[in-house]
Amino acid sequence: MVGKVKMSVFSVKFQKLWLLALSFMAFSSYADKSEQRYVVLAPHIVEMLFDLGVGQRIVGATAHSDYPEEAKSIPLVGNYARLKIENILAYKPDVIFAWHSGNPSDDLQRLQQLGLNIVYSHTGDLENVAKELIEFGDIVGKPQRAKQIADEYLTQLAALRQKYSAKKPVKVFYELWSRPLTTVANSAWPQHHVTLCGGQNVFTGLIGDYPQIGLEQVVALKPQVIIQPMSDGEPNPDAVNWAQWPKIPAAKNKLIFEVNSDKLHRMTRRVLGEIDNLCSKIDIARQVYN
């Protein structure tokens, strides 16, 4: 009996969601691109759409969507752990921009089952930012603007690659998070930045893109540079004080640097300026060890 009651409650709730979805589809069939409404489920996509000049069309976003300043006033419809499905449907979006890596898969599946128009961002290499700008530009009706900024981005990226391509390798430890102690490896987004700068990640051989590690492993591998990304929106007050381990070359030579993760960890064109900053810090270490 209890099972039947639970199933009945679920059925009623699903029916309500389905009716909202039908209402959404009826609404969206009449909207042209200049009148489209977007729900955007990742901060980097919010930033991209503002870059394309359609930020005013965003009716819902997720936590940490804080750039540009206007983005802070967008109503929130969830975070990386949970989405507010009913709120999303109530906004009647024509397109939902989502991110497999940063959104709960079960909520995305429910939205998919309700027949909503979902476009996904796919984290890849640095060139992928330009590709997504072009893709999203076509979707929102801004193809010329998208091509312009994508071309500018690729030109700046090529210049960075040329600037640092012949640099001497430096052993780098990237402290993504401190509790639990987590780093980057393999295809992780920040790994591309370290590689571009000529950094040799001491943990690149581990399994997975964002492996958890132990303090003793860092000490044993003796990185020459330690990078500690910091965010205004999500600070890391427990960042490890590596000065306690003077056997680590980075600690001994005071080559422990902070970078802006709000820029560095988002797949937007702002990343290039912060990559250049990261590379400049690694260059300081080269001068020490030469």
Side-chain angles (χ1 to χ4, degrees), residues 175-191:
E175 183 187 336
L176 183 69
W177 196 248
S178 54
R179 294 190 180 180
L181 188 57
T182 306
T183 189
V184 301
N186 300 305
S187 298
W189 176 246
Q191 174 61 46

Side-chain angles (χ1 to χ4, degrees), residues 265-283:
H265 292 174
R266 293 185 187 177
M267 287 67 74
T268 71
R269 63 173 177 162
R270 275 201 307 159
V271 71
L272 296 184
E274 196 60 18
I275 290 176
D276 198 13
N277 180 40
L278 171 67
C279 293
S280 296
K281 294 180 185 303
I282 293 176
D283 253 354

Side-chain angles (χ1 to χ4, degrees), residues 217-242:
Q217 291 175 275
V218 180
V219 175
L221 289 172
K222 301 183 183 304
Q224 296 171 306
V225 174
I226 293 176
I227 303 298
Q228 293 181 315
M230 296 291 174
S231 165
D232 292 333
E234 194 173 3
N236 185 9
D238 299 319
V240 178
N241 178 14
W242 294 105

Side-chain angles (χ1 to χ4, degrees), residues 106-124:
D106 56 336
D107 284 342
L108 291 179
Q109 186 175 12
R110 289 175 69 196
L111 291 171
Q112 195 88 42
Q113 290 171 343
L114 290 167
L116 303 184
N117 182 17
I118 304 177
V119 174
Y120 288 100
S121 172
H122 300 281
T123 304

Side-chain angles (χ1 to χ4, degrees), residues 22-81:
L22 288 176
S23 174
F24 148 77
M25 286 185 281
F27 174 87
S28 62
S29 63
Y30 292 100
D32 63 29
K33 288 188 176 181
S34 65
E35 298 173 342
Q36 284 182 339
R37 299 156 63 87
Y38 308 133
V39 164
V40 184
L41 304 180
H44 74 278
I45 310 177
V46 169
E47 188 173 329
M48 274 191 172
L49 295 192
F50 270 99
D51 221 359
L52 291 170
V54 297
Q56 75 282 359
R57 302 183 198 169
I58 303 174
V59 295
T62 47
H64 305 299
S65 297
D66 54 11
Y67 188 87
E69 188 67 25
E70 303 95 297
K72 295 178 181 179
S73 62
I74 300 172
L76 299 183
V77 294
N79 54 36
Y80 72 94

